[in-house]
Amino acid sequence: MLLVPSLHIQHLHLYKESLLQPWPLAYKQFQGLARVRLRQLATTLLGRQPGSRVSSYSRNASITRHVNLKQQQVVVVVLLLLFTTLALALLCSQLTIAKEQCHEFVVKEATVTRLCGTRRIMTVNGQFPGPTVEVAEGDALIVRVVNRGSYNVTVHWHGVRQMRTGWSDGPEFVTQCPIRPGNSYTYRFTVAGQEGTLWWHAHSSWLRATVHGALVIRPRAGVPYPFNGGKPPPAREIPIILGEWWNMNPIDVVRTATRTGAAPNISDVLTVNGQPGDLYKCSSNGTTTFAVKSGETNLLRFINAALNTELFVSLAGHTMTVVGADASYTKPYATSVLMIAPGQTTDVLVTFDQARGRYYLAARAYASAQAVPFDNTTTTAIFDYGTTTNTTSTSSPAIPTLPAYNDTATATSFTTSLRGLRKAKLPTHVDESLFFTVGIGLFNCSRGQTCGGPNNTRFAASINNVSFVLPSTTSILQAHYAGGGAASTPGVFTADFPANPPVQFDYTAQNVSRALWQPVPGTKVYRLKYGAAVQLVLQGTNVLAAENHPIHLHGYDFYILAEGFGNFDAATDVAKFNLDDPPMRNTVGVPVNGWAVIRFVADNPGVWLMHCHLDVHITWGLAMAFLVEDGVGELESLEAPPSDLPVC
């Protein structure tokens, strides 16, 4: 019997990963695999290394015939393997060709005018919002970021899985040191297994207020959108970025708040694609306007890039059908209003089937916290059918009715109506069952100092009573890599983040004891074994003020199994889990005075930040990090750091 060495499971992963790489890399990887296996095969059959000599003379003719038979078998197997390799290579070249895209982002100041005033802002390539990056699933991105501004900067590719490429994730002092003025850094990664809308933004201080842009991921060539249903693809695809504008420099806003301990000033106006809309003075001429044709169906790609405001969104006279969220497809869901938290994206189809005219798209705050100031402006853009193909209408736009600012019922109805397009591939067991509380707190003011928080305190925030503190001398990922996987690095981080709250209490009570208001500062990570199935309960608290918290996890998508109000009770709430078609996202809203449960598999080694995407809260410390250990072999291990990684 001819015994052929079997392919190790690691090599199967290599082939699978090769299909998600640009073609030259895919061929190179699989070619290398073929060479390894052919050498092993020859060694097994001949009992020697290829290239070693076999005597042509033997006193035992049967031995000679046996060797010849083995050599014939080797020839047959080699030919079969070569044929298979060529066939797979051809398959890759025909069906899975991906591109390598190169971009240069120059971070620099630009002059813009808003609300009758002109000021300098930080931008990428002088654009606000920044350039839209368009890729196909499987493409590799190489983006050189050149810092010609006056602040340290990093760029985060929000929602991109970054498989083994944590050095390109972007949060400063977590996966890299910041890019200092006058320096550059090149982000290199592949966008694999994701389709839809993501985005990129600065992940240093509050620079993302103006340094952000869309990342559009389409299916590979020849692959239709799953929501087409045999119909023509959308006539147009329109990125719509919702944001906030300050008349002050946002960096000055947050620095003042950090120095005093007070809450930062709220924004002056909300924006659509960088413009407030014509409800505000000096803004009519710049109002964002989208020209559309009667009868066509368009794909609107919504991104909430606001720093601190969750948003209700509606389009007058039109129904929006949600087909995707956070670059994961959903079952079609028709609605008249969206609720999008900072960090989240939502893809909707709209058929423009109303009377010719102009229709407002409008957005305003969903403000879940009581007695907390918020930006109560309403931003608008215009969808204009036009009276003819080449003209625009002058009629007054129809305006939609938006929910009340504190309409939690509408927000909940929207988030709980989302379902994954296909049956979820959930792990059958849970290795790590975690329970994290998220909420606001207060630090005592230092002796002799006057602070701007309530009763001479400083605002704080925490997860499981740990208020996250960024390192300042190196990044957590660099320290982890340099330490060879040590449990901690003195002066940088410790791996003792608690799996459960240190003190259990009635998390959503009306009057939480003041003894529980003050968290403990620290730079703590929670270690996960590679491949561990993780279930995480995120429990909101009513310490100081309850609020809806949009929690974002870097490096991962996760399934949202359920959400609810009050304190999570496993005895009754597990029965509410959607284990069939839960939505997959990278940012989940933890309901005000409520909870959400997520599940994911820790299959991406590295250090991954999890934080509230309200920037005021991450500034106060509402964050932590998972440290996912390497698995077995190269393909389950973090790549080595690039040579141009910035130094602190």
Side-chain angles (χ1 to χ4, degrees):
M1 174 182 285
L2 178 64
L3 299 178
V4 179
S6 61
L7 287 175
H8 191 277
I9 188 67
Q10 177 183 337
H11 297 143
L12 294 179
H13 287 315
L14 175 57
Y15 170 63
K16 180 179 179 182
E17 182 170 293
S18 74
L19 296 182
L20 300 177
Q21 303 289 351
W23 161 239
L25 180 57
Y27 176 77
K28 184 177 181 181
Q29 286 183 331
F30 199 81
Q31 185 184 53
L33 169 61
R35 287 175 177 170
V36 170
R37 302 312 291 163
L38 287 172
R39 182 174 294 275
Q40 292 176 345
L41 177 65
T43 301
T44 301
L45 292 177
L46 294 176
R48 61 184 176 86
Q49 291 294 326
S52 62
R53 300 180 64 183
V54 175
S55 174
S56 60
Y57 173 78
S58 174
R59 293 180 180 178
N60 190 327
S62 63
I63 294 178
T64 303
R65 288 193 299 270
H66 184 60
V67 170
N68 289 338
L69 176 60
K70 283 192 172 184
Q71 289 174 332
Q72 292 171 8
Q73 291 172 334
V74 167
V75 171
V76 171
V77 173
V78 167
L79 289 174
L80 287 173
L81 284 174
L82 287 175
F83 176 81
T84 303
T85 302
L86 291 173
L88 288 171
L90 181 62
L91 178 65
C92 289
S93 67
Q94 290 180 338
L95 300 181
T96 59
I97 289 178
K99 297 178 181 178
E100 185 175 87
Q101 292 199 30
C102 298
H103 299 269
E104 184 171 80
F105 280 12
V106 178
V107 179
K108 60 182 181 180
E109 289 189 352
T111 301
V112 299
T113 299
R114 297 292 186 274
L115 302 179
C116 310
T118 299
R119 71 174 182 87
R120 304 279 287 175
I121 65 170
M122 298 306 302
T123 68
V124 165
N125 299 347
Q127 302 175 43
F128 173 58
T132 295
V133 177
E134 301 182 48
V135 301
E137 188 276 324
D139 284 356
L141 272 175
I142 300 174
V143 184
R144 181 171 180 257
V145 177
V146 181
N147 187 0
R148 293 182 184 162
S150 53
Y151 304 103
N152 292 342
V153 70
T154 65
V155 175
H156 171 50
W157 309 91
H158 185 110
V160 174
R161 284 296 315 270
Q162 297 287 2
M163 297 299 292
R164 301 179 55 234
T165 54
W167 308 105
S168 289
D169 190 44
E172 68 173 0
F173 295 113
V174 177
T175 61
Q176 67 168 97
C177 295
I179 307 167
R180 298 184 180 280
N183 294 334
S184 67
Y185 176 51
T186 301
Y187 294 88
R188 300 173 175 89
F189 56 92
T190 298
V191 182
Q194 296 176 288
E195 295 175 9
T197 306
L198 295 175
W199 60 303
W200 57 266
H201 60 80
H203 213 297
S204 301
S205 187
W206 279 21
L207 283 178
R208 81 170 179 88
T210 55
V211 179
H212 60 250
L215 173 57
V216 174
I217 311 167
R218 297 189 177 90
R220 297 191 184 208
V223 179
Y225 288 121
F227 50 75
N228 280 357
K231 299 178 181 178
R236 307 163 198 249
E237 298 183 12
I238 304 174
I240 300 176
I241 301 179
L242 308 169
E244 290 178 277
W245 173 266
W246 277 262
N247 286 329
M248 289 180 60
N249 180 351
I251 302 299
D252 293 338
V253 172
V254 67
R255 284 180 174 176
T256 298
T258 301
R259 184 178 66 254
T260 65
N265 292 343
I266 61 173
S267 53
D268 291 284
V269 72
L270 303 173
T271 60
V272 177
N273 287 358
Q275 295 288 347
D278 58 11
L279 301 184
Y280 298 94
K281 58 184 180 179
C282 308
S283 300
S284 293
N285 291 338
T287 297
T288 300
T289 301
F290 306 105
V292 296
K293 294 181 180 180
S294 181
E296 69 183 11
T297 298
N298 293 336
L299 177 62
L300 311 185
R301 299 178 177 273
F302 286 98
I303 299 165
N304 187 346
L307 263 67
N308 298 314
T309 307
E310 298 176 292
L311 294 169
F312 287 123
V313 184
S314 188
L315 175 56
H318 294 77
T319 297
M320 297 177 285
T321 301
V322 179
V323 293
D326 291 2
S328 293
Y329 292 116
T330 65
K331 287 182 171 64
Y333 166 57
T335 180
S336 62
V337 62
L338 314 174
M339 199 291 284
I340 313 176
Q344 292 182 331
T345 70
T346 304
D347 294 344
V348 305
L349 293 174
V350 177
T351 299
F352 289 89
D353 54 3
Q354 300 300 301
R356 292 183 182 274
R358 306 166 76 215
Y359 296 83
Y360 272 132
L361 174 82
R364 73 178 183 188
Y366 164 50
S368 58
Q370 297 183 6
V372 174
F374 65 94
D375 184 336
N376 63 359
T377 64
T378 300
T379 183
T380 57
I382 296 173
F383 281 85
D384 192 339
Y385 283 52
T387 54
T388 66
T389 303
N390 298 315
T391 64
T392 57
S393 171
T394 57
S395 61
S396 179
I399 192 164
T401 300
L402 288 164
Y405 297 115
N406 62 349
D407 191 345
T408 294
T410 295
T412 302
S413 176
F414 177 78
T415 57
T416 57
S417 294
L418 299 182
R419 294 286 186 270
L421 180 61
R422 301 178 180 89
K423 183 173 177 60
K425 297 179 180 179
L426 289 166
T428 56
H429 68 283
V430 172
D431 301 306
E432 295 271 3
S433 185
L434 308 176
F435 190 105
F436 290 180
T437 55
V438 295
I440 309 303
L442 297 171
F443 282 134
N444 291 331
C445 196
S446 300
R447 180 173 297 180
Q449 184 182 10
T450 301
C451 293
N455 300 316
N456 198 36
T457 59
R458 302 178 61 87
F459 279 103
S462 66
I463 300 179
N464 273 0
N465 206 48
V466 178
S467 186
F468 189 73
V469 179
L470 286 171
S472 59
T473 58
T474 188
S475 74
I476 299 175
L477 185 60
Q478 288 171 277
H480 164 63
Y481 189 86
S488 62
T489 299
V492 182
F493 74 92
T494 58
D496 55 350
F497 189 88
N500 295 281
V503 177
Q504 296 185 5
F505 59 98
D506 184 354
Y507 308 113
T508 57
Q510 287 298 312
N511 296 294
V512 176
S513 170
R514 288 181 176 267
L516 300 169
W517 284 25
Q518 182 154 311
V520 177
T523 309
K524 299 176 182 290
V525 304
Y526 189 89
R527 295 181 75 97
L528 292 170
K529 295 286 187 182
Y530 182 92
V534 182
Q535 181 169 293
L536 171 57
V537 177
L538 293 162
Q539 174 69 61
T541 70
N542 198 25
V543 175
L544 192 64
E547 189 167 358
N548 187 300
H549 294 282
I551 302 297
H552 172 52
L553 175 59
H554 289 226
Y556 285 90
D557 289 323
F558 48 74
Y559 290 108
I560 304 174
L561 302 187
E563 65 178 70
F565 294 98
N567 298 332
F568 177 79
D569 183 355
T572 57
D573 291 331
V574 168
K576 303 172 184 175
F577 285 4
N578 176 5
L579 303 179
D580 183 41
D581 58 353
M584 178 180 281
R585 305 201 72 157
N586 60 60
T587 305
V588 57
V590 180
V592 55
N593 267 331
W595 51 267
V597 180
I598 66 174
R599 192 179 292 182
F600 63 96
V601 175
D603 59 358
N604 194 9
V607 175
W608 305 107
L609 187 66
M610 188 178 78
H611 62 94
C612 182
H613 221 279
L614 302 178
D615 274 30
V616 59
H617 291 172
I618 188 175
T619 301
W620 292 341
L622 210 164
M624 57 83 62
F626 287 107
L627 192 161
V628 180
E629 299 173 354
D630 285 346
V632 178
E634 179 183 357
L635 295 180
E636 294 181 357
S637 301
L638 176 70
E639 291 183 353
S643 59
D644 63 339
L645 192 69
V647 296
C648 289

